[in-house]
Amino acid sequence: MPYKSPFLLVDGVIYLKKHIFIKSFKKIKKNDFFLRRHFINNYAYPGVLMLEIFHQTSLILLYESKKFNYKNKMFYLAKINFAKFFFPVSYKDCIICNVTMFRKVLNSYIFHGKIIVNKKVACLSSFICILK
């Protein structure tokens, strides 16, 4: 992954089916940089970072599927078709991120993502990433 801490937001991969689906996780800790700076005295995980978890998880899916070599190219989040947040995510929570590759058109990839926390859907999104 071309990311370093604090912007590496995926702790690990639970399951991967090449070219189709990936399940990753992120364990949120109280001392995470973003929690301490987002809302003072309210440890809500920023929604935009949940969208970034989708992006990083989709990058892992493509890299592990041997779709491209990230050393030579960059993978950009080009468009968020929709994003819906159902409840705040806090520290001590473990984010489970499911991403499915829906379609590939030229150098664009369309994904659908779902974040689950405590067996409940916390976020849904459809997004497009582009390879340049």
Side-chain angles (χ1 to χ4, degrees), residues 8-127:
L8 179 59
L9 301 178
V10 176
D11 290 340
V13 173
I14 299 169
Y15 177 79
L16 181 129
K17 185 169 184 179
K18 289 183 178 184
H19 311 288
I20 297 172
F21 177 81
I22 185 169
K23 181 184 280 193
S24 68
F25 71 93
K26 165 72 176 160
K27 177 71 176 149
I28 302 172
K29 300 169 209 74
K30 189 173 183 176
N31 65 348
D32 280 350
F33 173 78
F34 304 109
L35 285 179
R36 293 180 285 151
R37 307 293 194 279
H38 191 233
F39 294 120
I40 305 301
N41 298 324
N42 183 1
Y43 295 101
Y45 198 74
V48 71
L49 293 182
M50 286 191 247
L51 299 176
E52 179 63 22
I53 291 172
F54 284 137
H55 177 246
Q56 290 184 17
T57 300
S58 63
L59 174 63
I60 295 169
L61 175 61
L62 289 180
Y63 180 69
E64 290 298 320
S65 298
K66 306 295 188 233
K67 286 283 188 184
F68 70 96
N69 182 347
Y70 74 83
K71 293 177 184 173
N72 298 328
K73 302 195 181 217
M74 287 299 296
F75 190 59
Y76 297 98
L77 182 59
K79 181 179 180 185
I80 299 170
N81 292 327
F82 77 87
K84 186 165 184 176
F85 302 92
F86 297 97
F87 59 87
V89 177
S90 187
Y91 74 94
K92 295 185 182 177
D93 284 334
C94 184
I95 289 175
I96 304 296
C97 178
N98 298 321
V99 172
T100 303
M101 186 177 352
F102 181 67
R103 185 180 311 156
K104 178 187 183 300
V105 179
L106 300 174
N107 64 338
S108 298
Y109 297 85
I110 302 169
F111 296 96
H112 295 281
K114 181 190 304 184
I115 285 183
I116 299 170
V117 176
N118 298 325
K119 299 182 181 177
K120 295 179 189 168
V121 176
C123 177
L124 291 173
S125 182
S126 175
F127 55 99

